[in-house]
Amino acid sequence: LAAAIADAADGARSIAGGAGSVADGVAELADGAEQLAGGARTAADGASAIADATSEAAGGAAELADGVDAVVEGARLVAAEADGLADDGQDVARDAEGLASGLEDDAATIPAWKDAARAALGGVVAAPVTVTGTRLNALPTTGSGLAPYFLAIALWVGALATYLVLPALPGRDDRSRWWLGALATFLAGAALGLVQALLAVVVLRYGVGIEVARLPELVVVAGLAAVAAVAVTQALVALLGTRGWFLALVLVVLQLTSAGAWFPIETAPAFFQALHPLLPMSHAIDAFRALVAGGGASLVAAVLVTGAWTTGALLVTFATARLRTGGPAGEVLPATA
């Protein structure tokens, strides 16, 4: 009995130890149950996400179906166009065959050039036109080209200086011979102008050394230009006094700008192009150029224009002189210069 009681005590102690183990197992089971509950909640969330993704996939599948339908329709159109393109390609192929055949026929007719002939033909193709320039009546220096311009300027400046020294009309005129004073003052100025023209040509030829092809004719034309300058200046001074001398200076400036001496007159403004054929200096310079260079230009225009200006200026001078003596007998109107 004592031994059995000892065994029972050992068994009780074993049962007590097993109960502790059972308690620990129950605790672990409780933890596992909580983990299982969390996993269940996670699975539920995943199931919701899967459901949403499934809905989106269903919408994408519908859009994909629509896209596939569009692709199919486009494929039908491409197939239809491919048939037309194939027909066009066949036409192009036939045209290419015809072009190749024509080129072969043309190539058969092209002559075979030798090397020398081919080189000559290449030179002709490279430079088909050759310009050979020949200068007619060439001037040796730039000074020879500018000499006519400065000669004309000198003659007009000389006329201006003449009527700074001489009166355009005499101080007192005889009423019965009113024209005599105007003629005398013109002849005096014209004589000075002719001397100036002769000296200018001589200095131009022998002093400066400008070659002149037609020297005697240059002297004559320069004399006519000088007389025209004197007549015009006298008429303006006789009519307007010192204001007329200023107007004569303005006229000289207009003639210089419209003469076309430095550049062709076609490059000047339209106003000066219109004045060019009307003014005496333009024609005088053209005549001087022809005489210096030796060209065959006609001098008729220069002679006619300078003569017309001279005649018109003399008429103005005589009319002014007549008006000055137009009062009663013995009365002389005041002179304007």
Side-chain angles (χ1 to χ4, degrees):
L1 180 60
I5 292 171
D7 291 336
D10 291 337
R13 284 192 294 269
S14 298
I15 292 170
S21 298
V22 170
D24 293 336
V26 170
E28 292 178 358
L29 179 61
D31 293 337
E34 290 178 358
Q35 294 178 359
L36 180 60
R41 285 192 294 270
T42 302
D45 294 338
S48 298
I50 290 172
D52 294 338
T54 302
S55 299
E56 294 178 357
E63 294 178 356
L64 179 61
D66 294 338
V68 169
D69 292 339
V71 170
V72 171
E73 184 65 24
R76 293 195 188 96
L77 294 176
V78 169
E81 294 295 332
D83 294 338
L85 183 61
D87 295 337
D88 295 339
Q90 292 176 358
D91 295 338
V92 171
R94 285 192 293 270
D95 294 339
E97 291 177 358
L99 178 61
S101 177
L103 290 176
E104 289 177 357
D105 297 339
D106 293 339
T109 60
I110 295 176
W113 298 91
K114 295 182 179 180
D115 292 341
R118 191 159 47 247
L121 182 61
V124 171
V125 172
V129 177
T130 301
V131 178
T132 302
T134 302
R135 186 180 293 275
L136 301 177
N137 309 117
L139 295 173
T141 62
T142 304
S144 299
L146 295 177
Y149 182 64
F150 289 106
L151 177 59
I153 294 175
L155 297 178
W156 278 87
V157 171
L160 292 173
T162 296
Y163 287 103
L164 279 177
V165 177
L166 297 179
L169 291 175
R172 298 184 63 83
D173 292 330
D174 185 357
R175 183 177 181 183
S176 61
R177 303 174 67 185
W178 56 269
W179 52 270
L180 187 59
L183 181 60
T185 53
F186 167 72
L187 292 177
L192 288 176
L194 291 174
V195 172
Q196 292 170 5
L198 179 60
L199 289 177
V201 174
V202 170
V203 170
L204 185 71
R205 173 63 185 89
Y206 299 104
V208 181
I210 300 296
E211 295 293 334
V212 178
R214 298 157 66 181
L215 185 60
E217 295 169 89
L218 180 61
V219 173
V220 173
V221 176
L224 293 176
V227 170
V230 166
V232 172
T233 305
Q234 180 191 14
L236 293 174
V237 175
L239 182 62
L240 302 173
T242 54
R243 290 170 295 180
W245 192 93
F246 176 75
L247 186 60
L249 181 61
V250 173
L251 178 61
V252 171
V253 174
L254 286 176
Q255 292 188 100
L256 294 178
T257 53
S258 61
W262 295 95
F263 300 99
I265 190 59
E266 291 77 13
T267 62
F271 174 73
F272 296 113
Q273 292 186 39
L275 288 180
H276 177 77
L278 304 177
L279 300 177
M281 185 184 289
S282 303
H283 297 277
I285 291 176
D286 291 341
F288 293 162
R289 283 173 175 166
L291 297 175
V292 170
S298 175
L299 305 178
V300 174
V303 173
L304 291 178
V305 173
T306 54
W309 275 83
T310 302
T311 302
L314 286 175
L315 292 176
V316 172
T317 301
F318 287 142
T320 304
R322 183 70 184 88
L323 290 175
R324 283 184 53 193
T325 58
E331 180 181 351
V332 178
L333 299 180
T336 59

